[in-house]
Amino acid sequence: MFGLEDQKKKPGQEFVFELERDLRDSKKHKEVKARVEGQIQAIKKQLRGGSEKEDFDQYGVLLHGYTSLLKVMSRFKR
């Protein structure tokens, strides 16, 4: 499921998500953080511009998701 079928868990080997692996590299960490912050600014701009009620709710959910991702990234050890 989710593309993890081929990966067999070896004894003593801990499972690591791809994002975790990427965030260990400081260059990748900065790139991902800059991209997420850019997305947040774009969503905020769209919300300020006004939109329909349905779009407003969906943008709000996206905004919460991106801010949560930034929060998790800030707690991640490089």
Side-chain angles (χ1 to χ4, degrees):
M1 187 173 186
F2 304 113
L4 301 174
E5 295 88 18
D6 297 335
Q7 296 179 358
K8 303 286 185 197
K9 187 172 181 179
K10 297 176 184 173
Q13 184 179 5
E14 193 174 317
F15 177 77
V16 180
F17 288 102
E18 289 178 19
L19 182 61
E20 286 180 296
R21 222 180 355 226
D22 289 344
L23 292 179
R24 287 185 183 148
D25 181 22
S26 62
K27 183 179 177 183
K28 280 279 207 178
H29 189 276
K30 288 179 185 178
E31 289 174 4
V32 172
K33 185 175 179 182
R35 182 172 179 214
V36 170
E37 288 173 345
Q39 292 290 339
I40 288 173
Q41 294 305 317
I43 291 171
K44 285 183 178 180
K45 182 179 178 184
Q46 189 71 26
L47 288 173
R48 285 188 207 116
S51 58
E52 295 183 24
K53 176 75 171 141
E54 293 175 6
D55 293 340
F56 186 82
D57 292 338
Q58 290 177 352
Y59 284 133
V61 170
L62 277 175
L63 186 62
H64 285 292
Y66 279 125
T67 54
S68 298
L69 177 60
L70 276 181
K71 192 174 190 177
V72 168
M73 286 176 62
S74 68
R75 293 179 181 176
F76 189 80
K77 295 180 183 177
R78 289 187 212 171

